[in-house]
Amino acid sequence: MPATIIDGKKIAREIEAELIGRISDLSKNGVVPCLAVVIVGDDPASHVYVGAKERACERLGIRSVRVDVASDAEYEEVASTVRGLNEDPGINGVLVQSPLPSGMDEISITDLIDPQKDVDGFHAQNLGRLVQGDVSGLLPCTPAGVMRMLESTNLDIRGKRAIVIGRSRIVGMPQSILLAQRGVDATVTIAHSRTSDMADLCRSADLIVAAVGRPNMITADWIKPGATVIDVGVNRVNDDSEKGYYLSGDVHPDVREVAGAVSPVPGGVGPMTIAMLMSNTVRATEMQQ
Ligand code: NAP
């Protein structure tokens, strides 16, 4: 039987519907959440992502402010932009769109964001809380979105084997912590580019979260029958369509023949990431009142 498709778009719409009530409660006190997005340079993919974030704000009645900074700006210009947004009481959430121009220290810029306005959840203080087992604050959007997708499948992952492929600061590492936290209780293996027995590890897993950035890397022969597979990867693969590319995940489409449940690309983790960003913006606004 082909795998169930985990519809990220649908779950994201449900999250947005929940948020509308909270946004309306804030508005009774004269508060409209406001998200500021700083974009440095003209990376086309970044502009697509920022556009999607702005449209989500518009749908929900969240104000959005976009600050464009030239690609040749110095570190200090970006830093002072962030400090200005921190000090502005009308701004509730601040994020700096990744990637920054090469040579600009992304971690140090992130750590300038007021942790209470850090809606990406990447500030050391917010990531530190996560390591301490406190998941009540601003969590990184993509891993938090994956957790919501898993909740929707009703998969009981307690004591089960999960493998997270990728160990980045923004996806793989916080994802592994969220899966291993008390109450979720998966037994987590973190794989990366130096992992030698990847196919065997995957074949032993009840849950695979792929966050690598390599199109179709995870193939059907790596999958334990019935396993759940979450595809975080978003890869542009060139073709001769009008756009010149199509989007592929890290998971090969054939995996659907073996897995129990699979998230699609597009329409899986992507919309969930945006919904969790909206959720963090509302949460940050509530915490600041
Ligand atoms: P990243 O920082 O480049 O990290 C990629 C990770 O994959 C690294 O840990 C790397 O290992 C590992 N890796 C690379 N090649 C590998 C291989 N052959 N076998 C096993 N592991 C390998 O990327 P990221 O920011 O985490 O993003 C990962 C993917 O998710 C990308 O496609 C990105 O576009 C996508 N993404 C999607 C969303 C969304 O909302 N849908 C959000 C964020 C990211 P090393 O650590 O050893 O280098």
Side-chain angles (χ1 to χ4, degrees):
M1 204 170 64
T4 303
I5 301 301
I6 307 171
D7 187 344
K9 250 191 194 164
K10 178 167 169 272
I11 307 164
R13 275 199 300 269
E14 289 163 9
I15 293 169
E16 288 190 1
E18 289 162 26
L19 291 177
I20 282 174
R22 285 162 64 189
I23 293 166
S24 137
D25 286 345
L26 284 164
S27 77
K28 286 177 196 146
N29 296 321
V31 177
V32 178
C34 180
L35 170 67
V37 179
V38 180
I39 180 161
V40 186
D42 39 26
D43 175 55
S46 293
H47 281 264
V48 172
Y49 293 140
V50 170
K53 290 168 187 176
E54 287 171 334
R55 285 194 299 281
C57 285
E58 210 170 302
R59 277 198 301 280
L60 294 178
I62 293 175
R63 259 189 347 112
S64 70
V65 173
R66 173 182 162 152
V67 185
D68 282 280
V69 180
S71 55
D72 59 355
E74 300 287 334
Y75 174 90
E76 198 40 51
E77 187 179 340
V78 181
S80 72
T81 302
V82 169
R83 288 191 200 101
L85 295 167
N86 284 342
E87 280 157 24
D88 184 340
I91 303 283
N92 306 105
V94 177
L95 76 82
V96 179
Q97 182 63 42
S98 176
L100 287 176
S102 67
M104 201 174 287
D105 183 349
E106 212 159 303
I107 294 183
S108 132
I109 291 286
T110 301
D111 280 345
L112 292 175
I113 298 173
D114 177 345
Q116 293 226 24
K117 295 189 177 185
D118 168 39
V119 285
D120 260 341
F122 299 155
H123 189 284
Q125 196 167 306
N126 287 321
L127 286 176
R129 285 220 177 89
L130 178 57
V131 176
Q132 290 172 333
D134 177 358
V135 290
S136 65
L138 300 172
L139 298 175
C141 300
T142 302
V146 169
M147 297 309 287
R148 289 289 289 260
M149 290 172 101
L150 292 173
E151 278 167 32
S152 84
T153 64
N154 289 324
L155 174 76
D156 184 6
I157 47 180
R158 236 174 316 161
K160 300 272 173 59
R161 287 189 183 188
I163 178 163
V164 178
I165 316 178
R167 57 177 166 184
S168 71
R169 178 180 59 96
I170 63 169
V171 190
M173 203 51 90
Q175 186 70 72
S176 308
I177 296 169
L178 282 171
L179 287 167
Q181 71 181 296
R182 275 181 201 282
V184 178
D185 297 326
T187 303
V188 183
T189 300
I190 305 171
H192 44 75
S193 64
R194 303 296 172 101
T195 300
S196 52
D197 44 358
M198 186 76 83
D200 283 342
L201 282 173
C202 286
R203 272 192 288 271
S204 73
D206 304 291
L207 167 66
I208 299 176
V209 179
V212 183
R214 289 170 70 98
N216 299 331
M217 175 180 136
I218 289 96
T219 48
D221 56 325
W222 291 23
I223 308 296
K224 176 174 170 177
T228 298
V229 183
I230 305 288
D231 191 353
V232 179
V234 178
N235 308 292
R236 284 187 180 208
V237 180
N238 295 335
D239 66 5
D240 43 20
S241 67
E242 206 179 307
K243 261 197 204 162
Y245 68 89
Y246 69 95
L247 290 183
S248 155
D250 291 341
V251 175
H252 194 284
D254 287 356
V255 163
R256 294 178 186 193
E257 301 306 319
V258 187
V262 174
S263 74
V265 176
V269 176
M272 292 300 295
T273 298
I274 299 215
M276 297 318 286
L277 174 66
M278 298 299 110
S279 172
N280 274 352
T281 303
V282 173
R283 176 103 181 90
T285 310
E286 290 165 345
M287 289 191 304
Q288 288 158 31
Q289 300 316 302

